[in-house]
Amino acid sequence: MHYSPQNSAYGCLFLINRGQADCMEVIVDQWPDFNVLFIRSKCQEQGDLFRDVSVFTKDEASLRNILENTGFFDWKNYFCLSVNTCHEEMLKAVAAAKGVPENKLTVCHMMTLPDPSNLTNNRVSVQLSSLKESHIDVVNSTWKFAAEFSKQMIRNMIMNFPSSCVLDPDGHPVAWVLTYTSCAMGMLYTQPEHRRKGYAKAVVTALAKKLHSEGYPVFCFIEEENQLSYRLFTSLGFTEDPTYRVAWYGFNQKHPIPH
């Protein structure tokens, strides 16, 4: 099976190979000729934020068999799958047969930038930095998927993965972007009073260059309805495979889950 940097599973495997994802585990349906690959957190008892399972497969029948006939998923409790939308009808059918409510949480473009070396330095005079532990609260307070355990996840991202932010004269972040544990860039945000100043472009450019220089794949997920971010990333040279969409599906949902 071939893995592309255009897949979140690739990002997780990249970090595991670097020893940066001790909390993640990779599971396959068989070895060595596997058809389905799952990546999930080992922290399954620490809240719904850690029940997100990334799925990669080109064999829907094998995935369906695992969902229907094995104990890999606990259908009595909440879990979330991130998977290509081409499997949506099958997921709905399996959930309906089991009498489990299913909800499509979000659908995203997957945008990639193979070579950030062509990105130009930002013309806006700003103070760029990395986020620090003291910035966890402000990032969490502005994130649309913030929940009980999101501070813990954001802390892990800030302390262990690259980030970029613009600081005001007092040293407070006013715009930022982080790196998820899948290697995807995300949580891009600019404080309302600082918008339309080029800060989002500045932090995305800085982080893309940093990720590339350290050997990370450079990619992100953008929700289909977020046209502002889509235009920003395409203007910077990010491209997508129009035949591929990734969605997050929640089963026995209690509250929205981040990606």
Side-chain angles (χ1 to χ4, degrees):
M1 185 179 290
H2 172 68
Y3 288 91
S4 163
Q6 294 180 329
N7 193 280
S8 58
Y10 173 91
C12 293
L13 291 171
F14 175 86
L15 292 178
I16 289 171
N17 287 335
R18 281 195 164 194
Q20 290 180 260
D22 292 340
C23 63
M24 307 299 290
E25 61 180 351
V26 180
I27 301 168
V28 295
D29 60 334
Q30 58 188 23
W31 187 262
D33 299 319
F34 58 92
N35 297 308
V36 185
L37 180 148
F38 300 98
I39 298 178
R40 68 181 181 185
S41 171
K42 296 177 183 177
C43 308
Q44 293 294 304
E45 303 303 323
Q46 297 188 33
D48 286 346
L49 285 175
F50 300 96
R51 297 178 187 269
D52 191 351
V53 181
S54 297
V55 181
F56 183 79
T57 184
K58 293 183 178 179
D59 185 346
E60 183 171 282
S62 294
L63 175 58
R64 182 166 192 155
N65 179 61
I66 292 171
L67 292 170
E68 290 181 331
N69 302 315
T70 72
F72 183 76
F73 293 100
D74 180 2
W75 289 91
K76 295 181 180 179
N77 291 300
Y78 181 88
F79 66 91
C80 176
L81 296 181
S82 63
V83 64
N84 194 325
T85 56
C86 68
H87 303 300
E88 180 171 323
E89 293 306 314
M90 180 272 292
L91 293 175
K92 289 182 176 180
V94 172
K98 291 183 175 292
V100 171
E102 171 270 334
N103 182 31
K104 182 163 60 177
L105 304 175
T106 188
V107 181
C108 294
H109 305 278
M110 182 174 283
M111 313 289 291
T112 63
L113 185 65
D115 184 9
S117 62
N118 293 325
L119 292 175
T120 58
N121 291 327
N122 191 61
R123 296 179 181 179
V124 179
S125 179
V126 294
Q127 182 183 354
L128 287 169
S129 181
S130 297
L131 289 165
K132 298 178 174 57
E133 189 172 10
S134 60
H135 301 148
I136 293 172
D137 285 342
V138 68
V139 173
N140 185 67
S141 68
T142 58
W143 190 37
K144 66 180 292 185
F145 293 108
E148 182 181 358
F149 287 90
S150 55
K151 282 188 181 181
Q152 181 178 337
M153 187 185 75
I154 291 170
R155 182 186 186 280
N156 176 54
M157 293 166 65
I158 289 177
M159 301 302 292
N160 297 302
F161 300 96
S163 64
S164 178
C165 67
V166 172
L167 300 177
D168 67 13
D170 296 321
H172 302 302
V174 297
W176 54 81
V177 63
L178 289 76
T179 305
Y180 285 108
T181 55
S182 64
C183 287
M185 302 170 67
M187 294 193 192
L188 175 64
Y189 187 82
T190 302
Q191 298 282 12
E193 63 272 24
H194 292 280
R195 292 174 183 171
R196 304 185 69 84
K197 297 180 180 179
Y199 289 176
K201 181 178 180 180
V203 295
V204 169
T205 297
L207 183 57
K209 288 185 173 183
K210 185 173 185 179
L211 289 169
H212 183 67
S213 69
E214 296 182 11
Y216 290 85
V218 180
F219 70 103
C220 66
F221 298 108
I222 299 177
E223 291 173 288
E224 285 188 327
E225 64 271 21
N226 191 345
Q227 289 301 306
L228 284 176
S229 287
Y230 185 84
R231 289 195 294 269
L232 169 64
F233 280 86
T234 53
S235 73
L236 293 172
F238 283 76
T239 59
E240 66 168 322
D241 178 353
T243 66
Y244 183 86
R245 287 288 186 279
V246 62
W248 279 256
Y249 299 91
F251 302 88
N252 285 318
Q253 182 186 2
K254 297 176 183 177
H255 53 70
I257 292 298
H259 47 84

